[in-house]
Amino acid sequence: MTAANSLKGKGTIVTGSTSGIGLGIARAFAAEGAHVMLNGFGDAGEIERLRQEIATRHNVQVAYSSADMSKPDQIERMVREAESAFGSVDAVVNNAGIQFVSPVESFPIEKWDAILAINLSSAFHVVRAALPGMRARKWGRIVNVASAHGLTASAFKSAYVAAKHGVVGFTRTIAMEGAPDGITCNAICPGYVLTPLVEKQIDDQAKAHKIPREQVIRDIMLKQHAIKEFVTVEDLAALAVFLCSNAARTITGTAIAMDGGWTQH
Ligand code: NAD
């Protein structure tokens, strides 16, 4: 069995997949023959167009849940919907995430709570709901999209860094709990990827430091990357597909950096 066909016919959920990295992973899973539950916010018509396009292109089932990842009851419902649509949920990618940048003294309390809920607690709720089915079938793959900020810190990102470090700790724990039943759990730790989330940060940083966008990219974002390139959505998606393959069955509990060498300084 090749890495490429391990996802064929499997039921999968990718949270936060109406944009950016999650959408790239959802497309890559569908290309492997997986049925995919999309999730996230956005224009209803555009999401429906995406859903149909991915389903038709890859001849797989593609469903959509508008579940808010800060709401545990909606997360549970999303997992049940995916189980009934596909027959099983065999792989989940906990990817939904938001960012907010501020000195800690003025960090808005509601932003802290939202970042912890969406970037960290949602992974707990998804795994809690999906794990029993994976155990029953003795196979499961959990991929948590953490960040280089799950391994190192930057000033003004207290909530994000705390949540992403939490994701890495959660990943290691679920690896232990899933191991007896063929379930792996790994975290992916990207450096900077040019997605809408980062586009917004470039603008925010440009405003905060009163410097042009190009300077933010060169002097702030890619400063820490030894390889002076943004990570691409497609490369991250290929890593997620590999971690869900049978070839990766003994890789578990890891936090794999794809960050241009940032966290190796
Ligand atoms: P993005 O803003 O392009 O996409 C985020 C997705 O999450 C969207 O689909 C959005 O609708 C969804 N989302 C946001 N809040 C939600 C909620 N409450 N409920 C459900 N869905 C919600 O961002 P991205 O850059 O693709 O980021 C994806 C993940 O990758 C995040 O966890 C982020 O922290 C992580 N990450 C991104 C980078 C980067 O440089 N872009 C680097 C490291 C880690």
Side-chain angles (χ1 to χ4, degrees):
M1 184 171 270
T2 65
N5 66 9
S6 321
L7 277 168
K8 194 166 175 54
K10 296 276 200 303
T12 69
I13 300 174
V14 184
T15 72
S17 47
T18 52
S19 164
I21 295 167
L23 178 56
I25 293 175
R27 285 187 186 283
F29 276 20
E32 297 295 324
H35 306 304
V36 186
M37 173 68 89
L38 298 174
N39 158 258
F41 300 147
D43 175 74
E46 172 62 15
I47 293 170
E48 177 54 19
R49 193 197 59 71
L50 263 178
R51 193 192 67 71
Q52 287 183 23
E53 180 225 301
I54 298 170
T56 309
R57 177 174 303 182
H58 301 294
N59 196 23
V60 294
Q61 294 177 56
V62 180
Y64 166 68
S65 163
S66 62
D68 181 337
M69 289 300 109
S70 66
K71 303 275 184 332
D73 56 326
Q74 294 187 23
I75 296 173
E76 163 107 34
R77 206 174 316 135
M78 174 185 72
V79 173
R80 299 295 159 244
E81 279 170 19
E83 283 173 340
S84 55
F86 309 141
S88 61
V89 170
D90 306 292
V92 296
V93 179
N94 292 303
N95 164 80
I98 58 168
Q99 174 64 284
F100 191 82
V101 179
S102 164
V104 71
E105 310 90 294
S106 51
F107 211 96
I109 292 169
E110 66 280 7
K111 291 286 186 199
W112 171 277
D113 289 344
I115 288 177
L116 269 286
I118 296 163
N119 295 20
L120 173 59
S121 299
S122 72
F124 159 72
H125 294 295
V126 170
V127 168
R128 188 172 182 277
L131 205 69
M134 293 179 180
R135 272 202 204 290
R137 288 181 300 279
K138 301 281 180 207
W139 196 93
R141 293 288 184 270
I142 299 162
V143 176
N144 297 322
V145 179
S147 168
H149 281 122
L151 305 170
T152 189
S154 295
F156 313 129
K157 295 186 177 177
S158 54
Y160 189 85
V161 171
K164 294 299 189 181
H165 275 68
V167 168
V168 170
F170 180 67
T171 300
R172 298 171 75 178
T173 308
I174 300 311
M176 300 301 111
E177 295 189 26
D181 292 309
I183 301 161
T184 69
C185 182
N186 291 285
I188 293 177
C189 297
Y192 281 101
V193 193
L194 203 52
T195 64
L197 180 138
V198 165
E199 283 287 356
K200 185 176 175 308
Q201 279 184 63
I202 295 172
D203 294 338
D204 290 350
Q205 298 257 15
K207 232 180 279 168
H209 297 280
K210 299 187 174 53
I211 53 175
R213 278 174 57 87
E214 299 64 40
Q215 202 178 338
V216 173
I217 293 171
R218 194 188 61 231
D219 296 347
I220 300 178
M221 305 229 143
L222 298 183
K223 182 170 177 222
Q224 303 293 347
H225 282 213
I227 297 168
K228 300 287 175 198
E229 287 177 32
F230 281 107
V231 178
T232 71
V233 165
E234 290 72 21
D235 290 346
L236 287 166
L239 178 57
V241 166
F242 176 70
L243 287 172
C244 291
S245 71
N246 287 322
R249 69 191 174 280
T250 56
I251 302 177
T252 198
T254 59
I256 301 179
M258 186 180 268
D259 63 0
W262 170 1
T263 52
Q264 305 310 316
H265 287 293

